[in-house]
Amino acid sequence: MTAADPQTRAITPKILYYGMPVILITTWNEDTTVNITPISSSFALGDNIVLGISTSSKAYDNLTRHPECVINIPSAPLWENVERLAPYTGRTAVPEYKEALGFTHCKDKFAAGGFTAVDAEVVQPSRIAECPLQIEARIQRMTVPEYDPFFAIVETRAVRVHAHENILIGEHHVDPRRWKPLIYNFRHYFGLGSPLGATFRSET
């Protein structure tokens, strides 16, 4: 028989954003303008990036129609720009539950967030110039699970990666000592602390 753990207790948190990088997804609107959607659910497997997005979001509508996006990853100092986008949706008809939470429609998310649009090289949606990492991607598959139809699992493949010069070391490596992604931790924004060490496979 195992012993009880005196250091823990069972809890029921409303959300499980236990510390993930913030991502700003840019997608292609029907009128060829570009929408920005902040998310904080993602993970990477090689050059495949899996995203979790709400099926009530404009991003979901856009990706269903036009399966391309740019995965823009902001640095910690951009948290206020990201937060400016938080109360907005790109949907002209605001979903009732979002309206009850105080969301309103915003057409120009670049202006609302204080961001600059720059052309992508391979996909249609624009990149966000201020984000130090910008990953152009194509959607491989979108799945809405039966057990939770409010979210979609979006599998993407990176087709072009852009990085600010000041976070690079060598030709193709991002310097983890300079790159400080914005982290969303139980609905609070954080940056990274001091480095603790490197894995044996690190090349930098």
Side-chain angles (χ1 to χ4, degrees), residues 81-159:
N81 301 73
V82 172
E83 181 57 18
R84 287 177 206 156
L85 299 178
Y88 296 122
T89 176
R91 278 191 166 182
T92 52
V94 181
E96 286 186 12
Y97 87 92
K98 284 191 172 183
E99 193 170 23
L101 293 171
F103 283 80
T104 57
H105 168 67
C106 178
K107 176 67 173 176
D108 190 348
K109 299 275 194 73
F110 281 92
F115 290 119
T116 307
V118 290
D119 289 340
E121 295 180 1
V122 181
V123 301
Q124 290 288 349
S126 304
R127 298 180 281 138
I128 299 175
E130 289 78 8
C131 291
L133 277 178
Q134 308 150 13
I135 304 169
E136 300 182 38
R138 292 198 173 102
I139 282 59
Q140 303 300 303
R141 179 167 56 183
M142 289 187 19
T143 306
V144 177
E146 292 181 5
Y147 56 81
D148 193 344
F150 297 103
F151 294 95
I153 300 167
V154 182
E155 301 173 45
T156 76
R157 172 158 292 180
V159 293

Side-chain angles (χ1 to χ4, degrees), residues 1-203:
M1 177 180 287
T2 57
D5 183 355
Q7 301 180 83
T8 64
R9 60 187 171 93
I11 64 171
T12 309
K14 286 186 177 180
I15 45 90
L16 287 173
Y17 297 126
Y18 45 77
M20 303 175 184
V22 172
I23 288 176
L24 300 175
I25 303 175
T26 47
T27 56
W28 195 240
N29 290 324
E30 300 91 335
D31 61 359
T32 72
T33 60
V34 176
N35 185 62
I36 304 175
T37 303
I39 70 164
S40 58
S41 298
S42 70
F43 65 91
L45 296 167
D47 61 356
N48 301 289
I49 300 174
V50 180
L51 310 172
I53 64 173
S54 169
T55 53
S56 67
S57 68
K58 185 62 176 175
Y60 177 76
D61 294 344
N62 286 350
L63 292 175
T64 300
R65 188 190 68 261
H66 185 91
E68 296 182 332
C69 66
V70 181
I71 299 166
N72 302 275
I73 309 175
S75 56
L78 292 173
W79 78 269
E80 290 179 300
N81 301 73
V82 172
E83 181 57 18
R84 287 177 206 156
L85 299 178
Y88 296 122
T89 176
R91 278 191 166 182
T92 52
V94 181
E96 286 186 12
Y97 87 92
K98 284 191 172 183
E99 193 170 23
L101 293 171
F103 283 80
T104 57
H105 168 67
C106 178
K107 176 67 173 176
D108 190 348
K109 299 275 194 73
F110 281 92
F115 290 119
T116 307
V118 290
D119 289 340
E121 295 180 1
V122 181
V123 301
Q124 290 288 349
S126 304
R127 298 180 281 138
I128 299 175
E130 289 78 8
C131 291
L133 277 178
Q134 308 150 13
I135 304 169
E136 300 182 38
R138 292 198 173 102
I139 282 59
Q140 303 300 303
R141 179 167 56 183
M142 289 187 19
T143 306
V144 177
E146 292 181 5
Y147 56 81
D148 193 344
F150 297 103
F151 294 95
I153 300 167
V154 182
E155 301 173 45
T156 76
R157 172 158 292 180
V159 293
R160 184 68 51 86
V161 179
H162 308 266
H164 285 189
E165 289 281 356
N166 63 357
I167 65 167
L168 293 177
I169 181 171
E171 287 295 314
H172 300 289
H173 289 91
V174 173
D175 187 344
R177 298 165 190 81
R178 298 178 185 173
W179 168 226
K180 307 294 183 184
L182 177 61
I183 303 297
Y184 195 56
N185 183 1
F186 286 102
R187 289 185 175 156
H188 290 75
Y189 297 107
F190 285 83
L192 295 182
S194 301
L196 301 176
T199 177
F200 77 99
R201 296 186 62 186
S202 173
E203 297 178 4

